[in-house]
Amino acid sequence: MIRFPAYLATKTNGVQSINKTELTEHDLMDGDVTVKVEYSALNYKDGLAMTNSAPIIRRYPLVPGIDFAGTVIESTHDRFNPGDRVVLNGCGVGESHSGGFAGLARVNSDWLVHLPDSISTRQAMAIGTAGFTAMLCILALEQHGLTPADGHILVTGAAGGVGSVAVAILNKLAYPVSATTGRLQESDYLKSLGASEVMDRASFADKAKPLAKERWAGAVDVAGGNTLANVLSQIKRGGAVAACGLAESMELPTTVAPFILRGVTLYGIDSVMCPMQKRLTAWQRLDADLDKDLLESLSTEIRFDDLPQASSAIINGQIRGRTIVKLPQ
Ligand code: NDP
């Protein structure tokens, strides 16, 4: 009988609690591929789930963790064989199907991507769902037709996971990048990733005017709220914003002015139910367009035991870049 460490969410009398425990293979959920999880990651959504700050977990008992990378140990699907290195982002894992905060995961093969040879399982989780989402945002801006010659791309919440990876990729693609952060002490860090300009996020926090001076060809926004409204009112004619987050707010207090007077486009980015073809494209592009040394420099590895404490820190905006979670082997 295989035993493995796991965090397990349970609900008693309507109250969720999450504890570290040991599970056996009998506790695995249905699926046609079993993966030995080598690394998981801490994303904002994991922080919300682990600290019970939002109703992320939708069935109990359940292992949290919305992403993982590891090696297939068992498969009844012909696309996967024992020894294959795989990555999984989203697809309801860590929400309605047990996820990455465990030594083993059994999942549906439709959710898994073979890792490109040149990305290790550790690097895959340095990227994680946040980095994958950053790539989806950039793909949306590219498909809109933006090129580096169009001008600066603004990245909000830049010292966080999505933001850090977005800055690094955009810079590698030769876009001039501007960044907003609430942590100006991280300006040197953001410049090391490729931001040419770092601004205080406070200057995007007030109620937005319908239109403001045109400053940005495009933007990657993780914040929502007044930040996104201000960004929209500053986008140049014909530009675009890829919105993926709600770190500030779920609200969007804007007007139609940027859309109907400047032809601005707002793209919504959803990594969870992203179609497989786009997943494959995003992982190939992450392999090609994300500098591995920069990826290492924006990542911190934590122990499995550190997850509760790190989860509180990410919700409090105290985590810089990406957090890799090493599973005990
Ligand atoms: P992080 O916590 O790593 O980064 C979020 C960053 O947002 C913080 O570091 C901070 O950056 C900034 N921020 C925090 N509070 C505020 C605020 N009140 N106003 C403005 N900015 C703020 O999280 P992730 O990078 O993992 O995720 C970012 C967002 O994207 C989250 O909302 C998450 O839920 C969402 N997301 C969505 C996905 C999708 O599929 N749509 C997938 C992945 C993430 P700084 O300190 O630099 O200001």
Side-chain angles (χ1 to χ4, degrees):
M1 168 105 60
I2 306 177
R3 296 177 180 278
F4 54 92
Y7 284 88
L8 192 68
T10 53
K11 201 169 207 179
T12 311
N13 298 328
V15 179
Q16 171 183 301
S17 53
I18 298 184
N19 293 296
K20 195 168 159 254
T21 182
E22 189 178 75
L23 300 180
T24 75
E25 54 197 305
H26 297 303
D27 298 307
L28 293 169
M29 292 179 81
D30 287 346
D32 50 1
V33 181
T34 307
V35 179
K36 181 169 170 42
V37 178
E38 292 162 18
Y39 294 95
S40 186
L42 180 66
N43 299 278
Y44 190 80
K45 195 186 253 180
D46 295 316
L48 291 173
M50 290 290 285
T51 58
N52 203 6
S53 304
I56 303 296
I57 296 174
R58 285 181 269 125
R59 67 180 276 191
Y60 299 89
L62 188 117
V63 175
I66 64 168
D67 51 19
F68 62 78
T71 304
V72 173
I73 59 166
E74 214 175 80
S75 168
T76 56
H77 193 282
D78 54 13
R79 203 162 61 89
F80 292 96
N81 294 302
D84 288 357
R85 295 174 329 110
V86 292
V87 61
L88 188 151
N89 304 105
C91 299
V93 162
E95 299 184 55
S96 53
H97 191 102
S98 278
F101 293 169
L104 284 186
R106 183 173 291 149
V107 296
N108 187 329
S109 52
D110 291 344
W111 306 338
L112 287 169
V113 169
H114 281 108
L115 265 181
D117 287 344
S118 45
I119 300 184
S120 68
T121 50
R122 186 176 181 280
Q123 287 166 335
M125 283 299 103
I127 295 167
T129 299
F132 174 68
T133 304
M135 191 73 241
L136 294 179
C137 290
I138 293 165
L139 288 172
L141 298 181
E142 284 182 346
Q143 278 155 18
H144 184 77
L146 293 183
T147 68
D150 291 315
H152 280 245
I153 306 293
L154 180 67
V155 177
T156 64
V162 174
S164 294
V165 177
V167 171
I169 297 173
L170 286 164
N171 178 57
K172 175 129 192 233
L173 293 172
Y175 288 91
V177 188
S178 299
T180 73
T181 182
R183 294 178 271 179
L184 284 175
Q185 68 275 19
E186 299 295 357
S187 295
D188 287 345
Y189 161 76
L190 290 169
K191 286 182 177 163
S192 77
L193 297 181
S196 60
E197 179 188 17
V198 179
M199 287 162 296
D200 190 338
R201 78 176 186 216
S203 57
F204 291 78
D206 292 338
K207 187 171 166 18
K209 292 181 191 155
L211 292 175
K213 184 170 176 242
E214 295 178 55
R215 295 174 78 186
W216 322 111
V220 172
D221 179 64
V222 307
N226 281 342
T227 299
L228 177 54
N230 277 293
V231 170
L232 283 166
S233 66
Q234 296 174 14
I235 296 290
K236 291 183 185 176
R237 188 169 302 284
V241 179
C244 70
L246 40 57
E248 177 187 326
S249 171
M250 185 88 117
E251 305 295 319
L252 179 52
T254 187
T255 72
V256 295
F259 311 114
I260 65 170
L261 298 176
R262 287 190 182 150
V264 169
T265 302
L266 177 59
Y267 291 99
I269 304 301
D270 170 29
S271 66
V272 178
M273 302 311 285
C274 176
M276 182 50 77
Q277 192 49 49
K278 199 180 252 188
R279 286 178 190 272
L280 296 173
T281 303
W283 278 101
Q284 282 157 7
R285 288 290 306 274
L286 284 159
D287 190 19
D289 297 328
L290 178 56
D291 182 290
K292 303 281 190 323
D293 291 333
L294 276 190
L295 177 64
E296 184 61 32
S297 79
L298 62 81
S299 307
T300 305
E301 182 177 309
I302 63 167
R303 296 174 311 140
F304 195 52
D305 287 351
D306 298 332
L307 258 171
Q309 186 194 350
S311 298
S312 300
I314 199 167
I315 295 308
N316 293 328
Q318 293 161 344
I319 296 267
R320 184 177 93 174
R322 294 283 302 137
T323 303
I324 308 165
V325 181
K326 185 172 170 53
L327 270 293
Q329 297 299 308

